[in-house]
Amino acid sequence: VLPLLDFLFKFLVIGNAGTGKSCLLHQFIEKRFKDDSNHTIGVEFGSKIINVVNKYVKLQIWDTAGQERFRSVTRSYYRGAAGALLVYDITSRETYNALTNWLTDARMLASQNIVIILCGNKKDLDADREVTFLEASRFAQENELMFLETSALTGENVEEAFVQCARKILNKIESELEGKAAKGGIGFGGDQ
Ligand code: GDP
Ligand code: MG
C-alpha cells in the first residue's frame, strides 16, 4: 500500500556533462552504480518517495539527459523546481569553474528560493583530485549552498544529498506556515 503523500517536490540535477549526474540519480533510485556497458539513452525522470521528519515526500527528479552538452537546458526544465543538486567533479577544475553559471541559471530560471546542495562527485577518485574540500566548502558558504562530497560509484553521501535538500525545503515551508499562522491566527494540530 502506498503511503499518503504529504508533499511532492520537483528536483533538478544540474552541472557540466560528465560530472556523474545520471549516475547519482541512478544510484539514489536503484541503489547501485549505473555502469557504462549499459548504453541506454539517459532517463529524463526518476522519482522516489522518502520519509523526512515524519512526512512522506515524493521527489520527482529531472535529469538533463545530455541536453547540457549543447548548452540547451531549457526554461521548462527549471520551472517550478523546489530543490537542486548542483554537481561538479572533484577531479575536474573545469567543471568546478562552471558552477557560477549553473547557479545563475538556477536562481534566475527556477526561483530565487530554490534550495541547492552542491555535490562534489567522484569522491572515490581522491588521488586525481583537482578541487579541495575546503575550497568548495568556502564557495558553498559564500553562495548559501549546502555542500557534500559524493560518490555515485560507492554510493557515499548520495541518499544524504537528496534527503538533506528535502529536509531544508520542509523546514522552509514550516517556518513560512508558522509565520502566516502567527499573523492570521491559524492553529496547528499538536500546537495547543
Ligand atoms: P553526466 O553526464 O553528468 O550525467 O555524467 P554520467 O552520470 O553519465 O557519468 C559520467 C562518467 O563518470 C561515466 O563514465 C560514469 O561511469 C563516471 N562516474 C559517475 N559518477 C562517478 C563516481 O562517483 N565515481 C567515479 N569513479 N566515476 C563516476
Ligand atoms: Mg547524464
Side-chain angles (χ1 to χ4, degrees), residues 44-83:
E44 293 174 359
F45 291 103
S47 68
K48 186 167 175 173
I49 296 171
I50 56 174
N51 188 281
V52 243
V53 274
N54 280 320
K55 300 267 190 294
Y56 283 105
V57 180
K58 181 170 182 171
L59 302 184
Q60 186 188 67
I61 307 148
W62 293 41
D63 185 10
T64 47
Q67 292 178 71
E68 76 280 22
R69 284 181 205 281
F70 313 102
R71 302 218 169 89
S72 62
V73 178
T74 57
R75 280 173 181 267
S76 67
Y77 179 80
Y78 287 99
R79 196 173 298 131

Side-chain angles (χ1 to χ4, degrees), residues 95-183:
T95 68
Y96 178 78
N97 290 341
L99 292 174
T100 311
N101 284 334
W102 285 106
L103 206 49
T104 307
D105 278 7
R107 295 217 160 112
M108 197 169 64
L109 300 173
S111 138
Q112 276 301 326
N113 291 325
I114 187 172
V115 173
I116 302 172
I117 184 160
L118 179 64
C119 296
N121 191 41
K122 308 195 188 179
K123 186 180 196 293
D124 56 287
L125 298 179
D126 195 57
D128 303 320
R129 179 188 286 276
E130 288 185 0
V131 182
T132 67
F133 182 90
L134 188 63
E135 179 179 10
S137 52
R138 285 203 184 113
F139 176 85
Q141 213 165 25
E142 281 160 13
N143 291 282
E144 293 176 26
L145 309 170
M146 292 179 286
F147 172 55
L148 281 176
E149 285 190 345
T150 57
S151 171
L153 177 67
T154 66
E156 188 176 353
N157 281 342
V158 175
E159 171 118 11
E160 287 81 352
F162 287 93
V163 169
Q164 281 188 25
C165 193
R167 189 179 298 133
K168 177 95 175 266
I169 297 166
L170 281 170
N171 288 341
K172 278 177 95 166
I173 292 172
E174 273 176 6
S175 56
E176 275 167 33
L177 283 177
E178 277 162 19
K180 278 185 190 151
K183 281 188 210 146

Side-chain angles (χ1 to χ4, degrees), residues 15-36:
N16 277 15
T19 53
K21 299 181 300 299
S22 299
C23 290
L24 284 168
L25 177 57
H26 193 268
Q27 175 64 256
F28 176 58
I29 294 192
E30 307 278 335
K31 290 199 176 289
R32 60 195 162 81
F33 186 57
K34 174 177 164 296
D35 71 84
D36 284 331

